[in-house]
Amino acid sequence: MAERDGARPRVTLKQVSELAGVSQSTVSRILNRRHSAVPIAAATRERVLRVIEELDYRPHPLARGLRGGGTALLGLIVREVADPFFAAAIEAIADESRRHGYSLVLGHARSSAREALVLAEVLETRHCDGAILLGDLRDEPRLWAELEGSELAVVAVCQGGRAPGIPTVDCDNRVGTVMALQHLHGLGHRRIAFLDAGWLGDVEERRLAYHAFMAERGLPVLEGYHQRLPGNHPDAGLSAFRALLELSSPPSAVFCATDQVALGVLAAAARAGLRVPADVSVVGFDDIPMARFAVPGLTTVRQPLRRMARLAVERLLGLIRSGAAPRSGPARRERLRPSLVVRGSTAAPGGGAGGAASRG
Amino acid sequence: MAERDGARPRVTLKQVSELAGVSQSTVSRILNRRHSAVPIAAATRERVLRVIEELDYRPHPLARGLRGGGTALLGLIVREVADPFFAAAIEAIADESRRHGYSLVLGHARSSAREALVLAEVLETRHCDGAILLGDLRDEPRLWAELEGSELAVVAVCQGGRAPGIPTVDCDNRVGTVMALQHLHGLGHRRIAFLDAGWLGDVEERRLAYHAFMAERGLPVLEGYHQRLPGNHPDAGLSAFRALLELSSPPSAVFCATDQVALGVLAAAARAGLRVPADVSVVGFDDIPMARFAVPGLTTVRQPLRRMARLAVERLLGLIRSGAAPRSGPARRERLRPSLVVRGSTAAPGGGAGGAASRG
DNA sequence: TTGAAAGCGGTACCAA
DNA sequence: TTGGTACCGCTTTCAA
């Protein structure tokens, strides 16, 4: 009755060694067989392994980490955990990490000086063996400062802008945008509007690509055709589409920087009594799970998420294994090719009563 | 050139103490002032704090945890990270945890013996000070076995079924279901179908509540009115709704166990040329972010997620502070009251050409 | 082929 | 009020 009731006090390496009648070093060696420039007697190993089994012994990760063995923990810093695209990315990264024996520590990066600090603490220490930056975090100066000074292994995913000295994995937003616009253009659309999704991340590249495409083809970007949204949310897409309808010459197609925005546009169109795609075509970007189930199904550009996750994790583990991150000079940037997914939200213009312009 | 280039070798407690001319104990005490049954000279504290500042010293969490100080890490075990409802829950829990200085370690629990093991390792060790189980994990025997044997502080959220000896926070699914059905009933619906969403979690309580409600009011649950779905996904809702349309007497309203399923129903209705709510009313459950932007807006039952998260984290921290979890007997179960959110997907029956029955 | 022992960075108990 | 010091559980030389 002396000890806390039901407290199974944890099996230690020492106990294993004693019960097996060997030294701790021996047990440790058997556990980490990779370091075996040292041979071990088969009989000894046998015996030790049996004891380990019997006692259901598990190495203490903290102790291990403290001594320099790594923590099997990867930090994942995300701005918006609940965003459908990022949620899917988190899932993919978590799966991929686990395939390699790592768990994720979630750093939710909602802007705020104090929070960024906490986050940095999680990172900077040896708590995590490495970290993945998911999404655009350029507006987190403390984070970058912290990263700069540390030798932590870091990889960025969907970072949008370049991260100094940090290997990056993202999809080729320019190519994706061109795919979307070519699709619309091919259907006969000329009046194509663009809704961005705030200033963050990949959105910027898509915006640039839109303007480049329109200029190249000599398509007009009328006043108001490029709507600036306050953030990446259906709400924003909804309002922006309304603004589009107020224009003297509304577009016949809308290219949205993200699916989230596009879903808002679909909602707005429905509420305005417009039919998609008869009255107006809509294209998104990302191919979030919901895109398939929108009404109508959303034509969009798919990011190869699993492959991106795999690549990011592999790069990160590579960095970890190879010692530290030589955070200097331009780092490798991996750009995966997206693909166009055509669903029901796009069609040739004029299928309805003359496009969105016919409204009112 | 002896050491790795750019490796800032980490400031330790010892260095601080030496530079400040005090002992390690003193520094440690100043850092953890809560344990101060011990007074400390103001001058000393001053000096030490300055050195800490100067050296930008941060305690090593691993070392701290090893000695028993806790890791400031909470394990979060989730089945489906990318599910919109759970993603929102993760966000809420992450925010709440951070308000208390804790980070989350993500355990992605997709069923698989080996994975559950890895997960258990993360938990069982002192890696995490406690853990939150999010969603139904009853089919993870290894997890429960592990939990049983450990003294880890654990709280379950949206667990659906009871978890033996584990404090639980969820919403009152029965009340929520009744709200939804009363709403439909009040609008005049009598032929109300139910789509479950697999067998997991809260769904079961909603199913029971549906049958109870229908029986009480003497409403018929015709053959096929309760569709069993393979899982919680729009896809499943889509197929199930099609099956509903095949019935000789299709329902005038559909109550879905989750919004995910309801979104699938909305898509299916649109593809079948049915108008919602004129031809058929649809109600969901959860109020995921997308529900507002569905076409039409989805009437649904909202779970008070922030409050649930707050409660869960507080309970967990309480357990952690109070020592261990006395994993025995029935534990407290907190059921929060949901609320009905009426949007455009519900209306009195017969508004269209006679309900879904009129199809074909 | 194996063992002894010195840490890793802190915390906390016991003296002074 | 402070300092000394024995650990926490494991890895890793260095010897034997």
Side-chain angles (χ1 to χ4, degrees):
Chain A
M1 297 287 272
E3 292 201 289
R4 210 197 294 99
D5 208 45
R8 202 184 48 178
R10 169 169 210 95
V11 183
T12 72
L13 185 73
K14 197 167 158 216
Q15 294 172 44
V16 173
S17 71
E18 282 168 358
L19 212 85
V22 297
S23 77
Q24 299 193 34
S25 336
T26 305
V27 180
S28 179
R29 283 195 196 99
I30 291 174
L31 254 36
N32 320 329
R33 54 168 124 297
R34 60 181 155 295
H35 274 296
S36 67
V38 191
I40 290 185
T44 313
R45 138 166 304 135
E46 244 343 270
R47 190 152 32 96
V48 170
L49 286 178
R50 200 165 32 251
V51 174
I52 288 179
E53 178 90 6
E54 211 165 284
L55 262 43
D56 190 27
Y57 165 75
R58 324 248 185 97
H60 194 310
L62 259 44
R64 201 171 239 186
L66 183 56
R67 196 59 178 93
T71 58
L73 248 34
L74 261 28
L76 179 62
I77 313 298
V78 204
R79 169 181 301 277
E80 293 296 341
V81 175
D83 176 274
F85 175 72
F86 287 130
I90 292 173
E91 177 166 44
I93 292 172
D95 285 348
E96 200 54 35
S97 300
R98 260 250 297 286
R99 289 206 320 113
H100 294 276
Y102 283 81
S103 290
L104 293 183
V105 176
L106 207 57
H108 191 190
R110 257 212 220 118
S111 224
S112 143
R114 280 202 53 196
E115 297 185 357
L117 183 60
V118 174
L119 173 161
E121 270 170 28
V122 170
L123 282 190
E124 192 267 351
T125 64
R126 275 198 246 140
H127 224 138
C128 295
D129 296 344
I132 293 179
L133 270 29
L134 177 58
D136 192 338
L137 296 163
R138 282 174 290 178
D139 61 337
E140 294 282 354
R142 304 197 69 129
L143 176 62
W144 294 107
E146 213 60 49
L147 250 30
E148 191 93 16
S150 93
E151 45 174 340
L152 189 75
V154 176
V155 167
V157 181
C158 301
Q159 182 63 24
R162 276 127 300 297
I166 295 180
T168 302
V169 176
D170 44 23
C171 99
D172 195 321
N173 289 300
R174 197 192 61 76
V175 165
T177 300
V178 168
M179 285 173 166
L181 294 173
Q182 257 169 357
H183 170 63
L184 290 173
H185 191 244
L187 286 171
H189 291 279
R190 297 297 175 266
R191 303 197 317 282
I192 306 174
F194 175 65
L195 305 193
D196 63 31
W199 59 271
L200 284 171
D202 305 309
V203 169
E204 199 169 322
E205 295 185 343
R206 296 173 195 170
R207 174 173 63 73
L208 292 173
Y210 163 77
H211 284 290
F213 182 94
M214 296 300 272
E216 270 171 25
R217 310 286 161 128
L219 299 174
V221 178
L222 303 186
E223 167 104 30
Y225 267 33
H226 170 193
Q227 290 281 325
R228 302 197 162 281
L229 277 62
N232 180 23
H233 195 271
D235 244 341
L238 199 146
S239 315
F241 184 72
R242 286 199 182 127
L244 244 32
L245 292 185
E246 301 299 329
L247 298 177
S248 55
S249 174
S252 65
V254 182
F255 171 53
C256 304
T258 69
D259 284 355
Q260 281 278 84
V261 168
L263 292 175
V265 169
L266 255 28
R271 292 183 196 180
L274 291 177
R275 290 162 305 155
V276 176
D279 298 326
V280 58
S281 284
V282 179
V283 180
F285 204 120
D286 288 342
D287 195 28
I288 62 176
M290 187 58 206
R292 271 179 63 204
F293 300 100
V295 178
L298 182 64
T299 293
T300 188
V301 179
R302 175 181 295 161
Q303 297 205 45
L305 216 39
R306 310 305 298 196
R307 279 197 299 136
M308 289 165 67
R310 167 132 25 101
L311 214 57
V313 171
E314 275 166 5
R315 288 267 169 286
L316 184 57
L317 295 186
L319 282 179
I320 291 173
R321 274 191 288 266
S322 73
R327 207 72 43 80
S328 65
R332 176 137 60 154
R333 180 170 192 189
E334 215 85 49
R335 309 178 129 293
L336 299 191
R337 189 183 173 77
S339 55
L340 185 71
V341 181
V342 178
R343 299 203 180 92
S345 67
T346 47
S358 71
R359 176 202 69 96
Chain B
M1 297 291 271
E3 290 201 289
R4 213 199 289 101
D5 208 47
R8 201 185 50 178
R10 169 167 212 96
V11 184
T12 72
L13 186 75
K14 197 166 158 219
Q15 294 172 44
V16 173
S17 72
E18 282 168 359
L19 213 84
V22 297
S23 77
Q24 298 192 35
S25 335
T26 305
V27 180
S28 179
R29 281 193 199 102
I30 291 174
L31 253 36
N32 320 328
R33 53 167 126 298
R34 59 184 157 293
H35 273 297
S36 67
V38 192
I40 290 185
T44 313
R45 139 166 303 134
E46 241 348 87
R47 189 152 33 96
V48 170
L49 286 178
R50 199 164 35 249
V51 173
I52 287 178
E53 178 89 7
E54 211 165 284
L55 263 44
D56 189 27
Y57 165 75
R58 323 249 185 97
H60 194 309
L62 258 45
R64 204 171 235 184
L66 183 55
R67 195 61 180 98
T71 57
L73 249 33
L74 260 29
L76 180 62
I77 312 299
V78 204
R79 170 182 300 279
E80 291 298 341
V81 176
D83 176 276
F85 175 72
F86 287 130
I90 292 173
E91 176 167 44
I93 292 172
D95 285 348
E96 200 54 35
S97 299
R98 260 251 296 287
R99 289 205 322 113
H100 294 276
Y102 284 80
S103 292
L104 293 182
V105 176
L106 207 57
H108 192 190
R110 255 210 224 121
S111 225
S112 143
R114 279 202 52 196
E115 298 185 355
L117 184 60
V118 174
L119 173 162
E121 270 170 28
V122 171
L123 281 190
E124 193 266 352
T125 65
R126 277 199 244 138
H127 224 138
C128 294
D129 296 343
I132 293 179
L133 270 30
L134 177 57
D136 192 338
L137 297 163
R138 280 174 291 179
D139 61 337
E140 293 285 353
R142 304 197 69 128
L143 176 61
W144 294 108
E146 212 61 49
L147 250 29
E148 191 94 15
S150 94
E151 44 174 342
L152 189 75
V154 176
V155 168
V157 181
C158 300
Q159 182 62 25
R162 277 126 300 299
I166 294 181
T168 302
V169 176
D170 44 23
C171 98
D172 194 321
N173 289 301
R174 198 193 59 77
V175 166
T177 300
V178 168
M179 285 173 167
L181 294 173
Q182 256 169 358
H183 170 63
L184 290 173
H185 191 245
L187 286 172
H189 290 278
R190 297 295 175 269
R191 303 199 317 283
I192 306 175
F194 175 65
L195 305 194
D196 63 31
W199 59 272
L200 283 171
D202 306 311
V203 169
E204 198 167 323
E205 295 185 343
R206 297 173 194 169
R207 174 173 64 73
L208 292 173
Y210 163 79
H211 284 289
F213 182 94
M214 296 300 273
E216 271 170 26
R217 311 286 161 126
L219 299 175
V221 178
L222 303 186
E223 167 103 29
Y225 266 34
H226 171 193
Q227 289 282 324
R228 302 198 164 279
L229 276 62
N232 180 24
H233 195 272
D235 243 341
L238 199 147
S239 315
F241 185 72
R242 285 200 182 127
L244 244 31
L245 292 185
E246 300 299 329
L247 299 178
S248 55
S249 173
S252 66
V254 182
F255 172 53
C256 304
T258 68
D259 284 356
Q260 281 279 84
V261 168
L263 292 175
V265 169
L266 255 28
R271 293 183 195 180
L274 292 177
R275 290 162 303 153
V276 177
D279 298 326
V280 58
S281 285
V282 179
V283 180
F285 205 119
D286 289 342
D287 195 27
I288 62 176
M290 186 58 205
R292 272 179 64 205
F293 300 100
V295 178
L298 182 64
T299 294
T300 188
V301 179
R302 174 181 296 160
Q303 297 204 46
L305 215 40
R306 308 308 296 198
R307 281 198 298 136
M308 289 165 69
R310 168 132 24 102
L311 213 57
V313 171
E314 276 166 6
R315 289 266 169 288
L316 184 57
L317 296 186
L319 282 179
I320 292 173
R321 274 192 287 268
S322 74
R327 207 72 43 78
S328 65
R332 178 138 59 154
R333 181 169 191 190
E334 215 85 48
R335 308 178 129 294
L336 299 190
R337 190 181 171 75
S339 55
L340 185 71
V341 181
V342 178
R343 299 202 180 91
S345 67
T346 48
S358 72
R359 175 201 68 95

